[in-house]
Amino acid sequence: MQHRVPAFLASVLAASMAVVAAPASATERVAYSDAAFAAAQRAGRPILVEVHAPWCPVCAAQGRMLDKLTAKGDRDLIVFRIDYDSQKPLWKKFGAQKQSTMIAFRGAKETGRIAYVSDEASMTRLLASMRG
């Protein structure tokens, strides 16, 4: 006796499997707020401030590389995203001069920064700077 799965059930099952198979980002990304940033600093968390523009190809490449480098369980890292186009006073406060700037902190201490690069070695060094 052969069993047939109804088409709608097959599509639900396929969609469920796609969700399970999709890699989960281990990195928590949030919009920047002074209160949340201060709380993460007090907690001693590794923090990455990301000056991002949606139209910037380097920003997109940085995001993909960050996902790759943190996919294996960097669960305590928090990324605060600052919009380059609409939050100029905020990114100026951090001393950024252009989009695609990433500034690393461990608690209240800045541990490194990169600007306009997305290569694996540079980003690995930046993330490692938060661990020491």
Side-chain angles (χ1 to χ4, degrees):
M1 181 173 176
Q2 192 173 18
H3 295 283
R4 292 183 49 93
V5 177
F8 79 94
L9 186 56
S11 64
V12 169
L13 182 59
S16 299
M17 294 304 287
V19 169
V20 170
S25 174
T27 306
E28 179 184 358
R29 286 185 172 93
V30 296
Y32 179 89
S33 79
D34 286 333
F37 182 71
Q41 286 186 309
R42 282 191 305 275
R45 288 182 72 175
I47 302 165
L48 193 61
V49 174
E50 174 187 40
V51 180
H52 177 87
W55 47 263
C56 170
V58 177
C59 298
Q62 285 176 332
R64 288 188 301 273
M65 184 58 66
L66 184 62
D67 286 344
K68 175 184 174 184
L69 294 173
T70 60
K72 293 184 177 144
D74 201 359
R75 300 254 182 239
D76 58 337
L77 173 64
I78 184 168
V79 179
F80 288 103
R81 182 169 279 185
I82 297 174
D83 183 75
Y84 179 78
D85 295 321
S86 65
Q87 296 178 302
K88 184 176 181 176
L90 192 51
W91 56 261
K92 288 271 190 185
K93 173 178 128 176
F94 281 97
Q97 297 183 7
K98 55 184 152 186
Q99 78 280 0
S100 72
T101 299
M102 294 185 146
I103 308 163
F105 292 85
R106 180 63 182 194
K109 180 182 178 205
E110 181 177 330
T111 61
R113 67 173 58 210
I114 59 173
Y116 222 72
V117 295
S118 60
D119 64 280
E120 187 168 354
S122 296
M123 292 192 63
T124 297
R125 280 191 302 274
L126 183 67
L127 293 174
S129 76
M130 294 181 272
R131 299 292 173 202

